[in-house]
């Protein structure tokens, strides 16, 4: 099980030391990019991402909760992002073919991922599985950290993993939202490969110890 802590809940005034801690304790760094339009929240952009990229020694896992994600792929690649997921809903709303966008992400040297909210049928991502390196199953509605894990997400992970296995694809499943040390083992048992955690990590007195607890160490 890989851990991708979300810095959305981190202390931005001490981001350098938080990134150095993540370099030691985590597998990748989850960057929740929010534009205030696709989701009713605004987080951070290329300046912060480039700074994090200078300090990080582990992959940057950008989760784009933005409209028109196709417009910014190159800039995220230049900023140092290694894994990039966009929302299926945003691609479709922009009238773009998600498969084409996934290929564009890969052509820029990033691992392509596809995310979708809890109200999107998990089957909606099936046509794109062979173009993705990972699927982000949202276990909260996109937009805010610190929300409660939606239990129905476990069955969605199981359904997705079964389809991936049936087709013999290498695609990984990333679960995003409301992950804690208490529910992590059940989420991993359902088949999630990458666990995102924001509030459970940076809301803890000792974020490094919190990551170890989520990993089950
Ligand atoms: C929500 C983000 C999640 C969230 C995770 O829109 O995509 O990555 O920040 O944070 P927690 O673990 O606090 O739910
Ligand atoms: Zn996220």
């Amino acid at each position: 099980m890989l851990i991708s802590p979300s810095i959305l809940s981190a202390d931005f005034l001490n981001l350098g030391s938080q990134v150095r801690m993540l370099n030691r304790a985590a597998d990748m760094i989850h960057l929740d990019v929010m534009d205030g339009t696709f989701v009713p929240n605004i987080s951070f952009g290329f300046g912060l991402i480039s700074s994090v990229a200078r300090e990080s020694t582990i992959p940057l896992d950008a989760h784009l909760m933005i409209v028109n994600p196709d417009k910014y792929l190159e800039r995220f690649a230049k900023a140092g992002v290694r894994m990039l997921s966009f929302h299926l809903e945003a691609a479709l709303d922009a009238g773009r073919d998600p498969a084409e966008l996934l290929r564009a992400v890969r052509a820029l040297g990033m691992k392509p991922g596809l995310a979708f909210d809890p109200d999107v049928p998990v089957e909606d991502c099936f046509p794109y599985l062979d173009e993705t390196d990972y699927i982000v199953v949202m276990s909260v509605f996109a937009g805010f950290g610190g929300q409660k894990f939606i239990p129905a997400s476990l069955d969605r992970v199981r359904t997705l993993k079964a389809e991936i296995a049936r087709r013999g694809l290498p695609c990984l499943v990333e679960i995003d939202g409301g992950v804690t040390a208490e529910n992590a083992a059940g989420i991993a048992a359902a088949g999630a490969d990458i666990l995102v955690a924001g509030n459970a990590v940076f809301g803890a007195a000792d974020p490094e110890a919190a990551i170890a607890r989520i990993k089950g160490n």
Side-chain angles (χ1 to χ4, degrees), residues 15-97:
L15 205 47
S17 64
Q18 315 254 313
V19 170
R20 285 186 288 277
M21 178 276 289
L22 294 177
N23 287 341
R24 291 194 302 273
D27 300 289
M28 49 200 73
I29 301 178
H30 192 77
L31 305 171
D32 284 309
V33 181
M34 301 176 182
D35 64 0
T37 303
F38 181 73
V39 290
N41 198 359
I42 296 176
S43 58
F44 45 76
F46 300 111
L48 182 135
I49 293 172
S50 303
S51 299
V52 169
R54 275 204 310 278
E55 196 65 35
S56 66
T57 57
I58 54 179
L60 300 189
D61 160 30
H63 171 200
L64 304 192
M65 289 161 275
I66 68 173
V67 297
N68 303 320
D70 49 306
K71 289 206 170 88
Y72 301 98
L73 301 181
E74 202 144 349
R75 292 182 64 186
F76 281 107
K78 283 208 179 78
V81 165
R82 304 298 316 123
M83 299 164 60
L84 184 144
S85 62
F86 57 84
H87 271 255
L88 173 60
E89 310 95 300
L92 297 175
D93 288 351
R96 300 302 303 268
D97 172 8

Side-chain angles (χ1 to χ4, degrees), residues 114-193:
L114 194 59
F116 47 92
D117 257 1
D119 58 350
V120 175
V122 68
E123 294 75 11
D124 285 12
C125 79
F126 287 9
Y128 312 107
L129 287 179
D130 50 353
E131 297 286 359
T132 59
D133 282 7
Y134 62 110
I135 295 289
V136 183
V137 176
M138 292 302 295
S139 36
V140 296
F141 280 87
F144 297 91
Q147 301 177 76
K148 274 194 75 48
F149 182 84
I150 297 171
S153 309
L154 293 177
D155 274 345
R156 289 160 63 82
V157 169
R158 292 186 189 102
T159 302
L160 179 54
K161 287 295 276 193
E163 178 66 8
I164 290 169
R166 186 181 71 80
R167 290 164 55 183
L169 295 171
C171 181
L172 297 180
V173 174
E174 176 171 305
I175 189 95
D176 187 6
V179 173
T180 66
E182 289 66 42
N183 64 22
I187 292 168
D193 305 289

